[in-house]
Amino acid sequence: MVESEYEQIRLKRLEENKKRMIELNLNKLSQSLRVSSPSPKPSPAKARTLRTPVDSSEVRRSSRAKNPPPSYREFGLEPLERPRRSYQRRDLLNRVYASDDARVYAIHRAEALQSSLEPEFPSFIKPMLQSHVTGGFWLGLPRHFCHTNLPQQDEMITLVDESDDESVTKYLADKNGLSGGWRGFAIDHQLVDGDAVVFHLINPTTFKVYIIRVYDESNKNQEEENVSEAPQLSNSGKRKRRGRK
């Protein structure tokens, strides 16, 4: 029953559509369009031209005259960074160690010099060891002096020698010592084992430095006198070897 109703409705709609197409002459229009429209013609193929290879080395976009590339070897180039000071490495195998007498004599002279300095500015004496003047070049400062007089954070400290020449060093507050810059100062001033150095703090970040040489003329003469005054061994103390009979 349902299918018959649906079929009747469909047929009725088809009849309505045919009547409408007849009223609009759509059938005649579709036939006339088919007759009048020509069949498409194939388009002619374009002739293929061969390209000649182009030398890319001769193609230049710049209008300037072609010149050979400049040679930068002829011009001195300025360094981008400040050159570091180079120091000759000391021979660690040929270290010279000062005698105990020479060390004591240098310290006594340093104490005499320290007593003549202005007392309102603190100072201390640092005898030089091999680790201070060769190898690692690390200078540890007295802990109490650092905590009392020097900055509590890392700071650049200036060393002024007796000729008023300045050297900048790096002070490490946690380690209580001088690191960067001390190596150059020690080598420039030819510090050796046994020298006594007086550090006079003239302002919070500047030391006036006095160097007492362990091998100066007076100390050398005194060592020669000590050697000459040493008792010589007599032949009487030697044991004579008796020959065989």
Side-chain angles (χ1 to χ4, degrees):
M1 185 69 179
V2 176
E3 292 181 358
S4 61
E5 291 180 358
Y6 173 78
E7 186 67 21
Q8 292 176 1
I9 294 172
R10 187 178 71 82
L11 294 174
K12 183 179 181 180
R13 186 168 295 175
L14 288 175
E15 291 295 333
E16 292 177 355
N17 291 336
K18 287 181 180 180
K19 292 179 180 180
R20 189 173 297 177
M21 291 177 64
I22 293 172
E23 293 175 357
L24 298 175
N25 295 326
L26 293 179
N27 293 333
K28 295 180 179 179
L29 290 174
S30 61
Q31 292 177 1
S32 61
L33 288 174
R34 290 176 185 176
V35 174
S36 62
S37 60
S39 61
K41 296 181 179 180
S43 60
K46 295 182 179 180
R48 188 173 182 181
T49 58
L50 298 178
R51 296 183 179 181
T52 57
V54 180
D55 189 1
S56 59
S57 61
E58 297 297 330
V59 177
R60 299 181 70 250
R61 297 182 179 180
S62 176
S63 60
R64 294 178 297 175
K66 184 177 180 181
N67 294 324
S71 176
Y72 293 101
R73 296 181 180 179
E74 300 177 359
F75 307 97
L77 300 178
E78 298 182 357
L80 298 178
E81 298 180 357
R82 182 179 179 182
R84 296 184 177 181
R85 300 173 66 182
S86 60
Y87 303 98
Q88 185 177 3
R89 185 176 180 85
R90 296 186 178 182
D91 190 357
L92 302 181
L93 300 178
N94 297 325
R95 289 178 172 178
V96 178
Y97 292 85
S99 63
D100 293 340
D101 293 338
R103 291 178 187 275
V104 172
Y105 181 69
I107 292 174
H108 286 169
R109 293 173 55 217
E111 290 175 348
L113 187 147
Q114 184 185 23
S115 62
S116 65
L117 299 178
E118 299 178 4
E120 60 267 21
F121 298 106
S123 62
F124 65 91
I125 299 172
K126 186 68 177 179
M128 294 292 101
L129 302 177
Q130 290 292 353
S131 60
H132 302 151
V133 296
T134 58
F137 289 95
W138 165 258
L139 184 68
L141 306 181
R143 184 183 300 272
H144 178 72
F145 185 93
C146 295
H147 291 176
T148 306
N149 303 288
L150 295 183
Q152 300 302 315
Q153 68 279 352
D154 294 352
E155 190 66 66
M156 303 305 295
I157 289 185
T158 304
L159 304 181
V160 183
D161 61 11
E162 297 175 74
S163 300
D164 292 334
D165 293 333
E166 297 183 355
S167 300
V168 180
T169 60
K170 180 69 173 182
Y171 170 69
L172 302 180
D174 293 340
K175 297 183 178 181
N176 301 318
L178 300 181
S179 178
W182 168 252
R183 178 176 182 269
F185 181 88
I187 294 177
D188 288 343
H189 294 80
Q190 299 180 354
L191 296 179
V192 297
D193 179 66
D195 288 347
V197 181
V198 180
F199 291 86
H200 193 201
L201 189 64
I202 57 178
N203 68 51
T205 58
T206 303
F207 277 112
K208 181 72 175 180
V209 180
Y210 303 91
I211 301 173
I212 305 300
R213 303 289 180 182
V214 68
Y215 295 115
D216 62 351
E217 292 297 329
S218 58
N219 195 5
K220 183 178 180 181
N221 295 334
Q222 183 179 4
E223 287 188 350
E224 292 177 352
E225 291 177 0
N226 293 337
V227 172
S228 61
E229 293 176 359
Q232 301 292 332
L233 295 176
S234 60
N235 293 332
S236 60
K238 294 183 179 180
R239 181 177 179 179
K240 296 182 178 180
R241 187 175 183 181
R242 299 175 65 182
R244 295 182 181 179
K245 293 182 179 181

